mmCIF file of all heavy atoms in Angstrom:
data_model
loop_
_atom_site.group_PDB
_atom_site.id
_atom_site.type_symbol
_atom_site.label_atom_id
_atom_site.label_comp_id
_atom_site.label_asym_id
_atom_site.label_seq_id
_atom_site.Cartn_x
_atom_site.Cartn_y
_atom_site.Cartn_z
ATOM 1 N N LEU A 977 96.740 257.719 25.859
ATOM 2 C CA LEU A 977 98.121 258.222 25.829
ATOM 3 C C LEU A 977 98.226 259.606 26.453
ATOM 4 O O LEU A 977 99.155 259.883 27.214
ATOM 5 C CB LEU A 977 98.639 258.268 24.389
ATOM 6 C CG LEU A 977 99.083 256.960 23.767
ATOM 7 C CD1 LEU A 977 99.328 257.136 22.272
ATOM 8 C CD2 LEU A 977 100.327 256.444 24.451
ATOM 9 N N LEU A 978 97.269 260.472 26.128
ATOM 10 C CA LEU A 978 97.292 261.816 26.698
ATOM 11 C C LEU A 978 97.132 261.781 28.213
ATOM 12 O O LEU A 978 97.801 262.528 28.937
ATOM 13 C CB LEU A 978 96.207 262.677 26.061
ATOM 14 C CG LEU A 978 96.443 263.047 24.597
ATOM 15 C CD1 LEU A 978 95.231 263.764 24.026
ATOM 16 C CD2 LEU A 978 97.689 263.882 24.442
ATOM 17 N N ILE A 979 96.271 260.903 28.707
ATOM 18 C CA ILE A 979 96.085 260.775 30.155
ATOM 19 C C ILE A 979 97.352 260.246 30.813
ATOM 20 O O ILE A 979 97.823 260.780 31.819
ATOM 21 C CB ILE A 979 94.864 259.875 30.457
ATOM 22 C CG1 ILE A 979 93.571 260.596 30.060
ATOM 23 C CG2 ILE A 979 94.832 259.469 31.928
ATOM 24 C CD1 ILE A 979 92.348 259.710 30.042
ATOM 25 N N VAL A 980 97.935 259.192 30.242
ATOM 26 C CA VAL A 980 99.154 258.611 30.808
ATOM 27 C C VAL A 980 100.290 259.639 30.815
ATOM 28 O O VAL A 980 101.000 259.784 31.810
ATOM 29 C CB VAL A 980 99.565 257.336 30.034
ATOM 30 C CG1 VAL A 980 100.974 256.909 30.377
ATOM 31 C CG2 VAL A 980 98.578 256.217 30.311
ATOM 32 N N PHE A 981 100.451 260.364 29.720
ATOM 33 C CA PHE A 981 101.532 261.340 29.656
ATOM 34 C C PHE A 981 101.291 262.512 30.598
ATOM 35 O O PHE A 981 102.241 263.087 31.125
ATOM 36 C CB PHE A 981 101.745 261.804 28.214
ATOM 37 C CG PHE A 981 102.657 260.897 27.435
ATOM 38 C CD1 PHE A 981 102.260 259.621 27.077
ATOM 39 C CD2 PHE A 981 103.920 261.311 27.084
ATOM 40 C CE1 PHE A 981 103.094 258.781 26.380
ATOM 41 C CE2 PHE A 981 104.774 260.475 26.380
ATOM 42 C CZ PHE A 981 104.362 259.203 26.030
ATOM 43 N N SER A 982 100.036 262.878 30.814
ATOM 44 C CA SER A 982 99.729 263.931 31.790
ATOM 45 C C SER A 982 100.082 263.485 33.201
ATOM 46 O O SER A 982 100.683 264.240 33.979
ATOM 47 C CB SER A 982 98.254 264.315 31.716
ATOM 48 O OG SER A 982 97.955 264.879 30.471
ATOM 49 N N VAL A 983 99.721 262.250 33.537
ATOM 50 C CA VAL A 983 100.051 261.716 34.863
ATOM 51 C C VAL A 983 101.564 261.619 35.035
ATOM 52 O O VAL A 983 102.101 261.975 36.088
ATOM 53 C CB VAL A 983 99.362 260.347 35.076
ATOM 54 C CG1 VAL A 983 99.886 259.652 36.322
ATOM 55 C CG2 VAL A 983 97.855 260.508 35.143
ATOM 56 N N LEU A 984 102.265 261.157 34.006
ATOM 57 C CA LEU A 984 103.726 261.076 34.078
ATOM 58 C C LEU A 984 104.356 262.457 34.263
ATOM 59 O O LEU A 984 105.324 262.598 35.020
ATOM 60 C CB LEU A 984 104.290 260.426 32.819
ATOM 61 C CG LEU A 984 104.146 258.912 32.701
ATOM 62 C CD1 LEU A 984 104.591 258.448 31.322
ATOM 63 C CD2 LEU A 984 104.947 258.216 33.780
ATOM 64 N N ALA A 985 103.807 263.458 33.581
ATOM 65 C CA ALA A 985 104.362 264.810 33.702
ATOM 66 C C ALA A 985 104.170 265.362 35.112
ATOM 67 O O ALA A 985 105.031 266.077 35.623
ATOM 68 C CB ALA A 985 103.713 265.734 32.682
ATOM 69 N N ILE A 986 103.052 265.031 35.732
ATOM 70 C CA ILE A 986 102.805 265.496 37.101
ATOM 71 C C ILE A 986 103.639 264.710 38.096
ATOM 72 O O ILE A 986 104.271 265.272 38.984
ATOM 73 C CB ILE A 986 101.298 265.385 37.432
ATOM 74 C CG1 ILE A 986 100.504 266.374 36.576
ATOM 75 C CG2 ILE A 986 101.051 265.617 38.920
ATOM 76 C CD1 ILE A 986 99.012 266.141 36.595
ATOM 77 N N ARG A 987 103.652 263.415 37.925
ATOM 78 C CA ARG A 987 104.338 262.546 38.893
ATOM 79 C C ARG A 987 105.858 262.577 38.754
ATOM 80 O O ARG A 987 106.582 262.543 39.737
ATOM 81 C CB ARG A 987 103.822 261.124 38.722
ATOM 82 C CG ARG A 987 104.421 260.164 39.668
ATOM 83 C CD ARG A 987 103.432 259.321 40.311
ATOM 84 N NE ARG A 987 104.199 258.262 40.963
ATOM 85 C CZ ARG A 987 103.965 257.844 42.157
ATOM 86 N NH1 ARG A 987 102.983 258.317 42.818
ATOM 87 N NH2 ARG A 987 104.696 256.903 42.690
ATOM 88 N N TYR A 988 106.349 262.576 37.524
ATOM 89 C CA TYR A 988 107.788 262.568 37.259
ATOM 90 C C TYR A 988 108.147 263.712 36.310
ATOM 91 O O TYR A 988 108.335 263.501 35.114
ATOM 92 C CB TYR A 988 108.224 261.247 36.623
ATOM 93 C CG TYR A 988 107.854 260.028 37.401
ATOM 94 C CD1 TYR A 988 106.818 259.199 36.970
ATOM 95 C CD2 TYR A 988 108.517 259.698 38.571
ATOM 96 C CE1 TYR A 988 106.468 258.069 37.691
ATOM 97 C CE2 TYR A 988 108.170 258.573 39.294
ATOM 98 C CZ TYR A 988 107.139 257.764 38.852
ATOM 99 O OH TYR A 988 106.787 256.651 39.563
ATOM 100 N N PRO A 989 108.231 264.932 36.832
ATOM 101 C CA PRO A 989 108.592 266.056 35.941
ATOM 102 C C PRO A 989 109.972 265.815 35.319
ATOM 103 O O PRO A 989 110.837 265.203 35.931
ATOM 104 C CB PRO A 989 108.627 267.261 36.870
ATOM 105 C CG PRO A 989 107.997 266.838 38.142
ATOM 106 C CD PRO A 989 108.061 265.346 38.203
ATOM 107 N N GLU A 990 110.130 266.273 34.116
ATOM 108 C CA GLU A 990 111.418 266.083 33.445
ATOM 109 C C GLU A 990 111.921 267.399 32.892
ATOM 110 O O GLU A 990 111.154 268.327 32.670
ATOM 111 C CB GLU A 990 111.295 265.050 32.324
ATOM 112 C CG GLU A 990 110.564 265.533 31.103
ATOM 113 C CD GLU A 990 110.703 264.592 29.928
ATOM 114 O OE1 GLU A 990 111.725 263.913 29.807
ATOM 115 O OE2 GLU A 990 109.778 264.558 29.128
ATOM 116 N N THR A 991 113.189 267.427 32.667
ATOM 117 C CA THR A 991 113.785 268.575 31.999
ATOM 118 C C THR A 991 113.928 268.231 30.527
ATOM 119 O O THR A 991 114.183 267.073 30.174
ATOM 120 C CB THR A 991 115.168 268.900 32.599
ATOM 121 O OG1 THR A 991 115.997 267.743 32.490
ATOM 122 C CG2 THR A 991 115.048 269.302 34.054
ATOM 123 N N PRO A 992 113.749 269.199 29.666
ATOM 124 C CA PRO A 992 113.883 268.917 28.231
ATOM 125 C C PRO A 992 115.290 268.405 27.903
ATOM 126 O O PRO A 992 116.261 268.746 28.564
ATOM 127 C CB PRO A 992 113.634 270.270 27.572
ATOM 128 C CG PRO A 992 112.888 271.055 28.577
ATOM 129 C CD PRO A 992 113.357 270.566 29.912
ATOM 130 N N ARG A 993 115.376 267.573 26.892
ATOM 131 C CA ARG A 993 116.680 267.072 26.448
ATOM 132 C C ARG A 993 116.853 267.373 24.966
ATOM 133 O O ARG A 993 115.887 267.534 24.228
ATOM 134 C CB ARG A 993 116.817 265.580 26.729
ATOM 135 C CG ARG A 993 115.949 264.714 25.872
ATOM 136 C CD ARG A 993 116.224 263.246 26.121
ATOM 137 N NE ARG A 993 115.611 262.471 25.055
ATOM 138 C CZ ARG A 993 115.295 261.216 25.150
ATOM 139 N NH1 ARG A 993 115.537 260.563 26.263
ATOM 140 N NH2 ARG A 993 114.758 260.582 24.149
#
Side-chain angles (χ1 to χ4, degrees):
L977 282 170
L978 290 173
I979 290 168
V980 166
F981 274 69
S982 296
V983 169
L984 284 173
I986 293 167
R987 181 132 168 136
Y988 305 106
E990 73 169 330
T991 57
R993 70 175 194 202

